[in-house]
């Protein structure tokens, strides 16, 4: 397996993550008791996450930020 021309299959997980590669489970589990915004903060991988880009791609996440994730259509498989 290669990323940006570099072999990464044998790298330790922390080194793969530092390259900006993450794992998104297929079932897209969330913390239902937390808000949509809190779930997003838990997923941060950068010191200054680009929420403008996230909200451009998924506008419902911004409008439902204060809503519990379990009740939010934004937590559906569309995202």
């Amino acid at each position: 397996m290669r990323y940006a021309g570099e072999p990464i299959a044998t790298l330790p997980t922390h080194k793969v993550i530092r390259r900006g590669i993450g794992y998104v489970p297929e079932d897209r589990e969330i913390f239902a008791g937390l808000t949509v915004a809190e779930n997003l903060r838990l997923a941060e991988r950068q010191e200054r996450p680009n929420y403008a880009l996230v909200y451009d791609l998924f506008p419902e996440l911004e409008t439902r930020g204060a809503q519990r994730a379990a009740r939010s259509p934004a937590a559906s498989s569309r995202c």
Side-chain angles (χ1 to χ4, degrees):
M1 181 179 347
R2 298 177 83 75
Y3 176 73
E6 177 184 4
I8 61 167
T10 59
L11 290 178
T13 303
H14 70 279
K15 290 188 177 184
V16 173
I17 290 170
R18 285 187 187 144
R19 286 164 174 76
I21 300 169
Y23 170 71
V24 177
E26 202 169 308
D27 57 7
R28 291 172 171 65
E29 290 186 20
I30 57 168
F31 293 96
L34 300 179
T35 66
V36 171
E38 290 167 333
N39 271 278
L40 286 174
R41 282 196 297 276
L42 284 174
E44 290 177 5
R45 297 292 182 255
Q46 299 174 352
E47 189 173 324
R48 289 188 226 157
N50 187 352
Y51 283 111
L53 174 62
V54 172
Y55 297 146
D56 280 346
L57 295 170
F58 307 104
E60 287 184 38
L61 294 177
E62 184 173 23
T63 59
R64 298 181 185 272
Q67 185 176 13
R68 293 277 171 225
R71 296 191 198 119
S72 175
S76 71
S77 62
R78 291 178 295 158
C79 295

